[in-house]
Amino acid sequence: MRTSHRFLLGLALGTTVTVIVRSVTGNAEAAITLGVTVLVLVWLGQFILDQLL
């Protein structure tokens, strides 16, 4: 998977998490924090897996 695809996947998942958390809790700050965390984990996680495999 190319880097741009990883980033877009992370962005899509991060946005989804942000919307769900914001809808459920009403806490925008926590929602954005979790969304960005998901984005970073998806994007960087694939690099880590590539190095391990």
Side-chain angles (χ1 to χ4, degrees):
M1 190 180 299
R2 291 184 8 206
T3 301
S4 60
H5 292 147
R6 291 178 192 142
F7 180 77
L8 291 175
L9 175 64
L11 186 61
L13 290 174
T15 302
T16 303
V17 167
T18 300
V19 169
I20 291 171
V21 171
R22 173 80 166 106
S23 298
V24 171
T25 66
N27 188 344
E29 187 175 327
I32 291 170
T33 301
L34 286 173
V36 170
T37 302
V38 168
L39 166 63
V40 170
L41 288 175
V42 168
W43 193 44
L44 293 179
Q46 195 63 38
F47 288 117
I48 293 168
L49 288 175
D50 286 346
Q51 295 301 316
L52 292 175
L53 299 177

